[in-house]
Amino acid sequence: MEQPHKKPIKVTEGIQEYNNNYNGSPHRGAHYLSIKATEIYEGARKKAADFIGAKSSKEVIFTKNTTEGLNFLAYSYGVSRLKEGDEILLSIANHHSNIVPWQMVARRTGAKLVYLMCDKNGQITKEDIENKINKNTKIISISHVSNVFGVIHPIEYIVKKGRENQATIIIDGAQSVPHLETNVNELDADFLVLSGHKMLASMGVGVLYGKLDKLNELEPFLYGGDMIEYVDLYETSYGEIPYRFEAGTQNVEGALSLSIAIDYIQSIGIKKIEKIVKELLKHTLDKLKDKDFIEMHGGNDIDHRTGIVSFNVKDVHPHDVASILDNYNIAIRAGHHCAQPFMKYMGLSSSCRASFYFYNTFEDIDRFIEALEKVRGYVL
């Protein structure tokens, strides 16, 4: 479920203060506003780096969102390094943003797309991982948590098998970083991407983490101002990492919002957030398990799930369910959730999806279920 005012007041107040008092372009001038904007922007980079356990703030590149981070890697890494016969390993449960860019890479390079499949609950099996990762696997790009079922995939095992075969490993952390303690060094992934709006920050800001040696292999994705060292009529040298990957005026207020959101999350504690969400998930599954008009998806193993509940109401289209619940001020998502291959594989054309974060309560869940019980009365 999504509350209409789910950003902390500290985040919105911080954005307002920046726009009212410090609205300058970072790295661009000797005046106070530019210097202040640079301090805020680079402070946010350091905060994001520390939050995910990066060794250096140089390993953090600000993006618009997870989708931009994955497109960046597809263009700047995949296209230039793959050739015919190489394999790109994805999960059938990946979001479209972690499938479509790699389809482009496959078309341009002749590389082959290979998919990890799931069991009936949407979980990737170790057997399939062992069968699909081999010496031809050059890139593994996989969602840590499914955005449809909320299933936590065995990312540590996938990284282990990838390392044994010298594959480059990319983790889509859009659904996991806000919910699970994340340390990129312990994960040992080469890249990780995330979206700020999934973790209480503004829309339009995200992070692409990369190991320094891997970032040094990348060509810039965008070209223009602020990413250069020197420009001549026919040649240009680029700035240092991470600046060479951040062309143009940057989203300082977005970076600031992410920095404040991280402070807010850390003031609660990510372990506590994970515990709250698990309790909400268990409460929901316990309440719904005996409702014979509900078809649940994703299984009951809450140890390997986060706060997403995917379901269908029998004989009622998910779009109708979402519209009816909206009348009760309950916001859920309905449709294919930008995961059409996964939905088709699971035999679903669409589903309803309720999601929880630490600001939800047991009372929210009970109100949600009471409203669900009225849905069929509207349309049958």
Side-chain angles (χ1 to χ4, degrees):
M1 289 178 287
E2 299 176 358
Q3 293 187 343
H5 305 294
K6 61 185 180 180
K7 284 186 177 54
I9 297 297
K10 288 184 177 180
V11 171
T12 54
E13 287 180 343
I15 293 170
Q16 185 175 20
E17 182 183 2
Y18 166 75
N19 282 316
N20 288 344
N21 301 303
Y22 310 115
N23 188 15
S25 187
H27 311 135
R28 297 292 182 92
H31 57 76
Y32 170 76
L33 292 178
S34 178
I35 293 169
K36 187 67 178 177
T38 302
E39 289 176 357
I40 292 170
Y41 189 67
E42 294 305 323
R45 193 192 307 277
K46 177 72 165 56
K47 186 71 64 66
D50 290 344
F51 185 64
I52 60 175
K55 292 179 179 176
S56 165
S57 59
K58 292 181 179 179
E59 295 178 318
V60 166
I61 300 162
F62 283 120
T63 61
K64 286 191 298 188
N65 44 43
T66 298
T67 298
E68 185 175 76
L70 290 167
N71 273 273
F72 182 161
L73 294 171
Y75 277 98
S76 296
Y77 193 83
V79 168
S80 62
R81 277 165 178 76
L82 298 187
K83 63 182 187 306
E84 188 171 355
D86 290 340
E87 294 181 359
I88 305 166
L89 186 74
L90 309 174
S91 163
I92 192 74
N94 276 3
H95 190 279
H96 290 165
S97 62
N98 204 4
I99 291 177
V100 180
W102 301 112
Q103 291 176 343
M104 176 278 296
V105 173
R107 284 196 302 272
R108 291 193 179 188
T109 64
K112 179 182 176 184
L113 297 177
V114 177
Y115 285 92
L116 293 170
M117 298 305 183
C118 299
D119 63 18
K120 64 180 182 180
N121 293 323
Q123 184 57 278
I124 298 169
T125 66
K126 288 189 174 181
E127 181 182 11
D128 205 36
I129 294 167
E130 290 172 359
N131 288 336
K132 300 285 177 60
I133 298 178
N134 57 61
K135 61 181 177 56
N136 295 321
T137 308
K138 302 303 179 187
I139 292 177
I140 298 172
S141 189
I142 194 141
S143 305
H144 192 169
V145 171
S146 161
N147 73 303
V148 182
F149 284 3
V151 170
I152 303 169
H153 296 308
I155 203 72
E156 293 83 1
Y157 192 72
I158 292 170
V159 172
K160 176 178 179 291
K161 299 304 292 185
R163 285 278 166 261
E164 291 173 2
N165 290 276
Q166 288 79 52
T168 294
I169 299 161
I170 300 165
I171 295 177
D172 173 356
Q175 304 293 333
S176 60
V177 173
H179 293 269
L180 308 172
E181 191 166 40
T182 301
N183 185 299
V184 288
N185 282 302
E186 291 178 2
L187 281 174
D188 194 26
D190 295 297
F191 300 102
L192 179 141
V193 290
L194 63 90
S195 292
H197 71 274
K198 301 282 188 184
M199 48 190 294
L200 310 175
S202 301
M203 296 180 188
V205 64
V207 164
L208 188 164
Y209 156 82
K211 290 180 177 176
L212 276 181
D213 60 336
K214 285 292 183 181
L215 291 177
N216 275 313
E217 296 179 26
L218 299 181
E219 288 294 317
F221 179 48
L222 295 171
Y223 297 83
D226 214 33
M227 52 80 70
I228 56 88
E229 181 183 38
Y230 296 107
V231 177
D232 204 343
L233 286 180
Y234 302 104
E235 296 291 340
T236 295
S237 58
Y238 306 128
E240 297 177 349
I241 294 172
Y243 309 115
R244 71 171 59 178
F245 302 122
E246 295 178 352
T249 301
Q250 293 303 300
N251 180 8
V252 179
E253 70 175 63
L256 173 64
S257 76
L258 181 60
S259 175
I260 300 171
I262 288 171
D263 283 339
Y264 191 83
I265 288 171
Q266 288 180 321
S267 72
I268 298 167
I270 195 77
K271 286 289 188 186
K272 185 174 181 181
I273 289 172
E274 184 178 352
K275 181 174 181 290
I276 292 170
V277 172
K278 291 278 188 193
E279 289 172 350
L280 292 170
L281 176 65
K282 183 177 186 306
H283 185 73
T284 309
L285 296 180
D286 287 345
K287 288 275 185 175
L288 287 176
K289 66 181 181 183
D290 295 325
K291 307 292 183 187
D292 59 4
F293 61 93
I294 296 290
E295 295 173 342
M296 296 296 298
H297 312 301
N300 296 312
D301 182 6
I302 64 169
D303 289 337
H304 294 93
R305 290 183 60 174
T306 58
I308 292 174
V309 174
S310 188
F311 64 95
N312 286 84
V313 177
K314 290 180 181 176
D315 305 318
V316 185
H317 194 279
H319 288 168
D320 293 329
V321 176
S323 296
I324 294 167
L325 292 182
D326 185 53
N327 291 330
Y328 294 91
N329 200 27
I330 295 169
I332 67 166
R333 294 284 296 271
H336 53 63
H337 313 295
C338 298
Q340 287 179 314
F342 178 65
M343 298 294 283
K344 184 176 181 181
Y345 180 73
M346 300 305 293
L348 300 168
S349 59
S350 60
S351 76
C352 304
R353 189 189 71 185
S355 57
F356 318 118
Y357 208 22
F358 62 87
Y359 45 69
N360 289 118
T361 64
F362 291 134
E363 289 72 26
D364 289 338
I365 306 299
D366 293 343
R367 193 163 57 86
F368 158 60
I369 291 171
E370 286 172 12
L372 265 183
E373 290 174 338
K374 299 173 183 174
V375 163
R376 283 160 55 95
Y378 279 83
V379 294
L380 297 179

